[in-house]
Amino acid sequence: MARRQTKYVFVTGGVLSGVGKGITAASLAKILKSRGMNVNIQKCDPYLNTDAGTLNPAEHGEVFVTADGAETDLDLGHYERFLDQELDQKSSLMIGRVLSRVINDERAGEYLGKTVQIIPHITDAIQDEIAAAGEGQDVHFVEIGGTVGDYESLSSLEAIREFKQRVGPENVRYIHVVYLPYIEASKEIKTKPAQNAVRNLRSFGVTPDILIARSEQEANHAVRHKLRMYTDIDAEAISVVPTVDSVYQIPLRLQTVADTLTEKLNLKPGKTDLGSWHQLVERAARDDVPTVCIGVVAKYMAHEDTYKSVFEAIKAACWHHGVKADITWLDAERLGRRLDKRSLRHIDGIIIPGGFGARGIEGKIKAARYAMDNQLPYLGLCLGMQVGVIALGRKTLNGDVNSTEFDPHTPHPVISLMSSQQETEDMGGTMRLGDYQCLISEDSLARGLYGTDRIRERHRHRYEFNNDYREPLQQAGLVLSGVSPDNELVEMVELADHPFFVGSQFHPEFTSRPQRPNPLFCGFIQAAARGTKDSNQQTVDGRQGVRSNRL
């Protein structure tokens, strides 16, 4: 029997970056999956990087890691959270990888002496990557990074234009996401930038089948009429989506767009089943619940995207426990200069996320020590586990204690470089990446949270717990609650006689989902909520309510 042809949906953006292409693609994929279809999703970034591993998180947001160890753009985190399915390295395509492949093929003589050019060699290679990621799916969504008109996006736009010829026009649809600015002085939504964005896309030979216009305000009929008139896109294929309180509301608002899309692709999906998603959105929107104040000790504080998966994991765990999160930034560099205990008195729990480099590290160590000494719930993620170990070492061992990442000559390197990394010079793709197994010790807090003795979680790091310090730190109260199957690597630590002090060498935020929060985050939020009070004496799962104070 002939294999069914995959349908391809390309999502582009116009007017400005950050317009919501990723959320749009993830939302439509979510709807089609809820209708019984097999879907996949892919991000095609125009950067000349091979992957996202060396991109500055302060500029590009977090680096999301897939189960098979790909370092990717943060949009893959959105995709996994919306679809609740694991993606792989095929879902992250950066043009640098394509260029590298083409150049290597040319050096190997694969082109038989032909002149290697952007068209057809680069564009063909892009199409090959898209086809490989979509193989076997009913519908494959491809988000094209950047904004139409960017020079670096030209090869991607040409590739998706040609792709319609490759698989047949009946199997390809284009969605263009644009922005409608609101002019406060005239109380008016302007459509001209959107009109120009559609015209710009058409100039590259790509005609959008569906137009999604983002706006800060609800749009009236006149706005929709203008868009239809000047873009020549059918009225039923135009949707104006105002800014909403939560991105998880978007799939509920795009169901009509999904209807149009499936009709244009001649698909016959089943009935939509988003009942549990409706319940999630309702829980997320509740204001009549206690608030738990979580301090995130960070050094990249320009925007929330730097720790996007951490923030989403906190929210998901809060919704699970019937509370809401008040996330407070704690500047690691400032804490390093002076830790004012009074400024921390309203914090119900501390999270130290992953990171690299010495900047701000002393503030993170001080925050971990504060949580340790004051019985404050603490969750350390990767680097957060390492600074927790350093804090305990400084408290209990004689002499300077540190990681060789921050002090190569420290006399007590409780954290040190993996032996396999000693001679590594390249920075990209050379860490312990992706899923690794972890064995959880019996009677540990982690064992109770996960409910099993063996788990798989995602890693992204070079430095490890130094096994020479297992015994002295265990004598000081450290519990090695998780280790690798060969017992060579420490994966999780806890503190005895502490309500919740847990560190993981892995990143549990990458496997947390809105409807299935990661167990470590659930346990942390439960501990942060336990025993705290607010002025209304609200209850959380039968316990006293939590504070809503913000630093």
Side-chain angles (χ1 to χ4, degrees):
M1 185 173 64
R3 179 180 296 175
R4 180 167 47 185
Q5 171 63 53
T6 300
K7 306 287 186 177
Y8 294 87
V9 179
F10 296 100
V11 181
T12 56
V15 181
L16 44 78
S17 61
V19 74
K21 302 185 303 295
I23 296 298
T24 297
S27 297
L28 289 170
K30 172 70 178 179
I31 297 169
L32 266 58
K33 184 176 180 179
S34 77
R35 295 177 178 180
M37 309 201 76
N38 294 321
V39 301
N40 197 24
I41 191 166
Q42 182 180 35
K43 176 72 179 288
C44 182
D45 264 315
Y47 307 123
L48 299 186
N49 303 70
T50 299
D51 57 36
T54 56
L55 293 178
N56 187 340
E59 295 180 12
H60 297 276
E62 74 174 5
V63 175
F64 186 84
V65 178
T66 58
D68 63 348
E71 295 176 285
T72 74
D73 180 84
L74 64 84
D75 272 317
L76 267 77
H78 291 312
Y79 303 161
E80 288 206 0
R81 284 188 290 272
F82 274 69
L83 294 179
D84 193 12
Q85 71 186 44
E86 286 191 348
L87 303 176
D88 58 30
Q89 60 182 340
K90 291 196 296 292
S91 287
S92 178
L93 174 61
M94 283 198 172
I95 298 303
R97 191 170 88 216
V98 174
L99 292 173
S100 179
R101 171 187 153 188
V102 170
I103 291 170
N104 288 338
D105 285 349
E106 186 274 332
R107 293 288 80 192
E110 295 293 328
Y111 297 114
L112 302 177
K114 292 180 181 177
T115 302
V116 178
Q117 298 175 287
I118 298 295
I119 303 171
H121 301 100
I122 298 298
T123 52
D124 282 353
I126 294 172
Q127 292 177 62
D128 290 344
E129 297 273 2
I130 291 171
E135 186 175 2
Q137 303 295 325
D138 293 322
V139 183
H140 181 54
F141 287 84
V142 183
E143 176 194 351
I144 304 299
T147 306
V148 171
D150 295 342
Y151 283 119
E152 59 262 33
S153 298
L154 298 182
S155 59
S156 297
L157 292 175
E158 174 61 18
I160 67 173
R161 183 194 71 79
E162 295 176 10
F163 200 81
K164 179 181 281 191
Q165 303 171 22
R166 176 170 178 158
V167 299
E170 71 279 7
N171 297 313
V172 172
R173 290 295 178 266
Y174 303 105
I175 297 177
H176 200 35
V177 184
V178 296
Y179 184 72
L180 301 176
Y182 178 75
I183 307 300
E184 180 65 32
S186 60
K187 310 295 182 185
E188 186 179 13
I189 293 176
K190 291 293 187 180
T191 64
K192 185 63 71 175
Q195 297 174 34
N196 290 337
V198 172
R199 186 178 301 114
N200 199 10
L201 181 62
R202 284 195 174 119
S203 71
F204 297 109
V206 177
T207 298
D209 301 284
I210 293 174
L211 182 68
I212 295 179
R214 280 283 316 282
S215 172
E216 302 301 323
Q217 305 285 334
E218 290 282 358
N220 57 30
H221 177 73
V223 169
R224 297 172 187 274
H225 176 74
K226 265 191 172 183
L227 289 174
R228 182 184 64 80
M229 177 68 69
Y230 292 106
T231 65
D232 200 29
I233 297 174
D234 296 338
E236 64 272 14
I238 296 175
S239 179
V240 179
V241 183
T243 298
V244 293
D245 294 332
S246 168
V247 294
Y248 299 115
Q249 297 177 23
I250 300 299
L252 305 181
R253 299 190 67 115
L254 292 184
Q255 293 187 66
T256 301
V257 175
D259 293 339
T260 302
L261 178 62
T262 54
E263 182 180 342
K264 286 180 176 292
L265 287 171
N266 196 28
L267 294 170
K268 306 296 181 185
K271 295 182 66 174
T272 304
D273 182 10
L274 288 175
S276 62
W277 198 261
H278 274 278
Q279 295 172 8
L280 168 73
V281 170
E282 290 172 0
R283 287 199 306 273
R286 289 190 62 181
D287 284 325
D288 59 337
V289 296
T291 302
V292 59
C293 185
I294 303 301
V296 177
V297 184
K299 68 176 181 180
Y300 304 117
M301 303 180 66
H303 53 80
E304 186 178 316
D305 281 352
T306 306
Y307 304 101
K308 191 64 177 177
S309 290
V310 174
F311 282 24
E312 294 305 316
I314 293 171
K315 295 175 192 175
C318 283
W319 300 333
H320 177 79
H321 284 296
V323 299
K324 62 181 178 179
D326 182 4
I327 300 174
T328 298
W329 292 94
L330 300 175
D331 187 335
E333 289 188 276
R334 198 159 125 197
L335 291 177
R337 291 190 294 269
R338 179 173 178 268
L339 191 148
D340 182 1
K341 295 182 179 180
R342 291 175 301 174
S343 69
L344 297 174
R345 66 183 184 274
H346 299 311
I347 296 294
D348 298 318
I350 288 177
I351 290 180
I352 297 185
F356 298 90
R359 183 170 67 87
I361 200 66
E362 290 301 320
K364 295 180 181 183
I365 296 171
K366 287 182 180 180
R369 176 67 183 270
Y370 177 87
M372 187 181 299
D373 292 343
N374 291 274
Q375 301 288 290
L376 188 66
Y378 175 90
L379 180 59
L381 312 174
C382 195
L383 177 64
M385 183 196 98
Q386 296 174 5
V387 299
V389 171
I390 295 170
L392 180 62
R394 290 185 180 182
K395 180 179 179 180
T396 59
L397 302 177
N398 294 322
D400 292 334
V401 176
N402 216 323
S403 164
T404 55
E405 180 180 5
F406 316 124
D407 181 3
H409 307 294
T410 177
H412 286 301
V414 293
I415 305 295
S416 60
L417 197 64
M418 296 188 298
S419 59
S420 62
Q421 295 285 332
Q422 296 289 344
E423 304 301 324
T424 298
E425 296 183 0
D426 288 344
M427 297 299 291
T430 56
M431 294 179 281
R432 189 149 71 103
L433 292 165
D435 272 8
Y436 286 85
Q437 286 192 5
C438 169
L439 302 183
I440 307 179
S441 59
E442 197 172 358
D443 298 327
S444 65
L445 179 58
R447 179 73 166 267
L449 292 173
Y450 277 99
T452 182
D453 64 350
R454 185 184 292 262
I455 60 172
R456 295 183 70 90
E457 290 281 9
R458 298 185 195 175
H459 294 66
R460 183 177 184 251
H461 62 95
R462 285 191 178 85
Y463 291 80
E464 300 278 358
F465 185 102
N466 188 340
N467 288 327
D468 292 341
Y469 289 88
R470 283 194 182 193
E471 185 175 342
L473 289 175
Q474 284 178 298
Q475 291 176 354
L478 191 69
V479 177
L480 307 184
S481 54
V483 296
S484 59
D486 60 5
N487 197 35
E488 287 297 313
L489 302 173
V490 174
E491 297 281 23
M492 274 193 289
V493 300
E494 303 173 8
L495 276 186
D497 302 320
H498 193 288
F500 193 98
F501 193 103
V502 177
S504 66
Q505 186 66 86
F506 50 79
H507 289 265
E509 67 271 22
F510 291 152
T511 57
S512 183
R513 304 287 181 261
Q515 295 170 293
R516 290 191 303 110
N518 184 279
L520 291 187
F521 279 91
C522 278
F524 169 74
I525 292 298
Q526 186 177 46
R530 182 179 294 120
T532 57
K533 299 179 179 180
D534 68 1
S535 59
N536 296 320
Q537 298 291 299
Q538 293 173 292
T539 61
V540 183
D541 294 342
R543 300 181 298 277
Q544 291 292 323
V546 298
R547 295 185 294 267
S548 59
N549 309 74
R550 175 180 285 275
L551 289 181

